[in-house]
Amino acid sequence: MSLITGVAQRLAMRLPGVLGVMLGASLLVSATLRLVPGDPITLILGEQATETDRARLEDRLGLNSSFGEQYLRFLRDVGTGELESFRSDTPVFESIGQALPQTLILSVFALLLSATLGLSLGIAAALNRGTWIDAFALFFASLGLATPRIWLGPMLLLVFAVQWDLFPVGGNEGWRSLVLPVLSLGTAMAAMLARMTRSSLLEVLGMDYVRTARAKGLSERVVVGRHALRNALIPVITILGLQLGSLLAGAVVTEKIFNWPGIGTLLLKSIQTMDFP
């Protein structure tokens, strides 16, 4: 009970700060959207709409009131779950509920790829320091970190979807549609994990307790698996968990490139159509 109480107290202490950040972010985004050139009424009705139709739609959407009133109405609708899209009149949370699982699927598979590839390369490089395996892992890490996702995605599409026709060009048509977006999203993280795993494992392999384990006559597999690797992966796994947020952020670019129906695509489409809610 004491553990549960302690966790509850920590959450209670952090809650005001979290709410303050959310309010500040929502206010900043709401104000910034009003600075985007264009007019949602014109985008919905077209340039030939009459002033009467424009005034009627402005009144229905609440765009004829002040920014402060619009923002307070937004907070109210978020709290009651009644926030609706300007263009489709569908609840915003329903649209998010349809798009969010797609983004999570993409991010989770990218996380699995980056963890598997990055950890494997990093461990192999550390255990074969100075060999071609080490050189290849370092080359992959440098190339992966230096390659921007906004360039890698189109190149993967051009080669594997257009030139060789191995995968769909875009959309969600099953597991084959996941391959290229996952590669694009997970490569940079795999490169970072490979370099970090190699560095951490080399550091641990040079410690006294590892040399002592070898002096006792333990096999290299036991020394590495039971003693070195267990401690070397602690900071790597910590970073791996923290990187999930960056994967979700990076999914915006990846989803746009591959036309993946996730949160990123929904966000960009809403910005382009000035669908403020």
Side-chain angles (χ1 to χ4, degrees), residues 49-259:
T50 64
E51 290 299 323
T52 303
D53 292 336
R54 290 178 59 88
R56 187 182 299 114
L57 184 59
E58 280 186 352
D59 182 65
R60 185 170 72 85
L61 299 180
L63 294 176
N64 56 354
S65 55
S66 66
F67 170 74
E69 292 174 332
Q70 292 182 46
Y71 180 69
L72 291 177
R73 189 184 307 114
F74 163 77
L75 293 180
R76 181 200 66 193
D77 292 343
V78 168
T80 59
E82 296 178 355
L83 193 65
E84 291 187 348
S85 165
F86 281 174
R87 300 185 66 85
S88 62
D89 289 332
T90 58
V92 170
F93 291 113
E94 181 180 321
S95 300
I96 293 176
Q98 294 172 355
L100 183 59
Q102 300 298 324
T103 296
L104 291 178
I105 289 172
L106 183 61
S107 299
V108 167
F109 276 100
L111 187 67
L112 291 175
L113 170 71
S114 57
T116 303
L117 184 59
L119 294 178
S120 300
L121 281 176
I123 293 170
L127 297 181
N128 298 275
R129 187 178 185 180
T131 66
W132 68 269
I133 298 176
D134 188 21
F136 173 77
L138 289 176
F139 173 75
F140 169 79
S142 299
L143 186 63
L145 289 172
T147 304
R149 189 178 294 117
I150 199 170
W151 180 87
L152 178 61
M155 290 302 102
L156 290 174
L157 276 177
L158 180 64
V159 175
F160 294 102
V162 178
Q163 296 282 348
W164 295 349
D165 195 24
L166 296 176
F167 301 101
V169 175
N172 184 3
E173 301 177 10
W175 69 269
R176 293 174 68 247
S177 299
L178 265 173
V179 176
L180 296 183
V182 166
L183 281 174
S184 176
L185 187 58
T187 298
M189 186 173 176
M192 182 200 68
L193 289 177
R195 176 174 289 184
M196 187 173 182
T197 302
R198 176 186 181 275
S199 176
S200 181
L201 186 55
L202 284 175
E203 181 181 354
V204 171
L205 286 173
M207 291 185 172
D208 291 339
Y209 71 88
V210 175
R211 289 195 290 266
T212 301
R214 283 173 173 158
K216 289 181 179 179
L218 297 178
S219 67
E220 189 68 13
R221 177 178 296 180
V222 174
V223 172
V224 173
R226 184 177 299 176
H227 296 281
L229 195 57
R230 181 182 300 178
N231 292 319
L233 290 183
I234 292 175
V236 178
I237 293 175
T238 302
I239 295 297
L240 185 64
L242 295 175
Q243 287 299 309
L244 181 59
S246 67
L247 282 178
L248 292 173
V252 175
V253 175
T254 303
E255 288 178 7
K256 177 62 176 178
I257 293 172
F258 294 94
N259 195 28

Side-chain angles (χ1 to χ4, degrees), residues 6-66:
V7 171
Q9 289 177 346
R10 288 178 65 95
L11 290 176
M13 290 174 60
R14 291 178 178 270
L15 186 59
V18 172
L19 292 177
V21 170
M22 292 175 65
L23 282 173
S26 67
L27 181 59
L28 179 63
V29 171
S30 298
T32 304
L33 283 174
R34 268 63 180 185
L35 300 178
V36 175
D39 177 19
I41 301 298
T42 302
L43 288 174
I44 295 173
L45 296 180
E47 296 182 357
Q48 306 303 321
T50 64
E51 290 299 323
T52 303
D53 292 336
R54 290 178 59 88
R56 187 182 299 114
L57 184 59
E58 280 186 352
D59 182 65
R60 185 170 72 85
L61 299 180
L63 294 176
N64 56 354
S65 55
S66 66

